[in-house]
Amino acid sequence: MFTQTKIALADDHTIFRKALKEIITQKSGITVVAEAENGEELLSLLPGKEVDIVLLDLYMPKKNGIETLQALQNDYPRVKVIFLSSCTDPEIVSNMLEKGVYGYLPKTADISELWESIEYASKNTLYENKLVKDTLFWQARERLRHHDEDHLVKANPAHHQIFKLLWQEKTTQEIANELFMSVSSIEKIKQTLKEKIGVKTTIGLIKYALTKKIIYPVPEEIKIAV
């Protein structure tokens, strides 16, 4: 049950916006106090109005959802924002969650999800629908992936140098001399890298370095016969 929840909404698709307003106004305890076709118009309508929750589209002309969110957080920090968008890219949804929105719903969501997201937002709680949960899982997986890559290669500049010298077909002795390390230390590093990356040979290390853009192949000089 909602208790005098005041909603503002912005979406540049007129039919969707009007239909959404019609649906919302039928719910007891919820009032639409402002509607706009873009963020710029929405922000011009808010001064002097009491607003609890703003429903935002992501892609709008003049001032998009991200820009509008930033403006709302700066000028109306007590207002909660929920996104209603056709964009469900996990990276974008993740970015919006990190910016502090209270919900992110695809436009294909059931109307019951809209009521639930509004109810959660009114209680200062993130609405964790399937899209948000999938995004949180995606975030965790990306953090682990980047952590593994950083741990394997990026955390140690010496590894980068070894990859580059291997690409130049330097021997272990030559690599040791250039890095002022012992041959046994270089061999140990190479073996550790092989085990962590999951390859068995030096060629495997080089392929990995090429794939991760740690080294770049330089095209052979084109010789022109005179």
Side-chain angles (χ1 to χ4, degrees):
M1 207 54 197
F2 299 97
T3 307
Q4 299 302 318
T5 302
K6 298 177 177 62
I7 301 285
L9 57 95
D11 194 298
D12 61 321
H13 293 90
T14 304
I15 293 177
F16 178 84
R17 186 179 71 251
K18 295 295 184 182
L20 182 61
K21 180 182 177 180
E22 183 68 22
I23 291 170
I24 292 174
T25 53
Q26 292 177 8
K27 192 73 171 179
S28 176
I30 297 181
T31 306
V32 175
V33 296
E35 64 162 306
E37 64 179 16
N38 57 63
E40 184 177 288
E41 182 183 6
L42 176 70
L43 293 169
S44 71
L45 296 174
L46 292 187
K49 286 184 169 59
E50 291 185 19
V51 178
D52 301 305
I53 298 170
V54 171
L55 303 179
L56 277 183
D57 188 17
L58 185 61
Y59 298 117
M60 298 180 291
K62 294 186 179 181
K63 192 179 287 289
N64 62 35
I66 298 174
E67 295 168 329
T68 306
L69 171 64
Q70 185 64 59
L72 288 169
Q73 290 177 332
N74 289 338
D75 300 333
Y76 305 93
R78 297 181 63 182
V79 171
K80 286 88 172 178
V81 174
I82 297 171
F83 272 96
L84 279 169
S85 176
S86 57
C87 175
T88 57
D89 182 280
E91 187 169 0
I92 292 176
V93 179
S94 173
N95 186 30
M96 295 302 99
L97 294 177
E98 290 178 359
K99 289 181 181 297
V101 301
Y102 282 80
Y104 195 111
L105 276 65
K107 287 187 174 179
T108 56
D110 189 86
I111 190 65
S112 62
E113 286 194 65
L114 176 62
W115 302 139
E116 288 176 358
S117 66
I118 292 173
E119 184 176 2
Y120 272 69
S122 65
K123 296 177 180 178
N124 299 317
T125 303
L126 170 67
Y127 177 54
E128 295 187 30
N129 57 337
K130 185 179 184 303
L131 177 59
V132 168
K133 289 178 180 178
D134 288 346
T135 300
L136 294 174
F137 175 77
W138 177 87
Q139 285 179 334
R141 187 175 59 190
E142 286 296 294
R143 280 195 294 269
L144 287 174
R145 182 174 68 82
H146 288 304
H147 176 270
D148 288 344
E149 289 181 357
D150 290 346
H151 180 65
L152 288 176
V153 179
K154 296 178 183 178
N156 193 337
H159 294 171
H160 285 243
Q161 192 62 26
I162 290 174
F163 281 125
K164 291 174 183 177
L165 293 172
L166 287 173
W167 175 248
Q168 296 169 17
E169 299 184 13
K170 299 286 187 180
T171 65
T172 301
Q173 182 65 64
E174 289 172 328
I175 294 173
N177 292 341
E178 191 152 339
L179 297 182
F180 302 102
M181 299 172 69
S182 67
V183 170
S184 61
S185 294
I186 297 299
E187 289 291 357
K188 184 176 180 180
I189 291 173
K190 286 170 59 180
Q191 185 58 38
T192 300
L193 286 171
K194 288 175 186 177
E195 292 174 359
K196 289 183 176 180
I197 293 170
V199 298
K200 297 180 180 179
T201 65
T202 298
I203 295 298
L205 289 177
I206 292 173
K207 286 182 177 179
Y208 174 86
L210 287 168
T211 301
K212 298 300 181 182
K213 294 182 171 50
I214 297 168
I215 56 177
Y216 296 87
V218 179
E220 292 185 3
E221 182 181 356
I222 300 175
K223 295 182 179 179
I224 302 176
V226 179

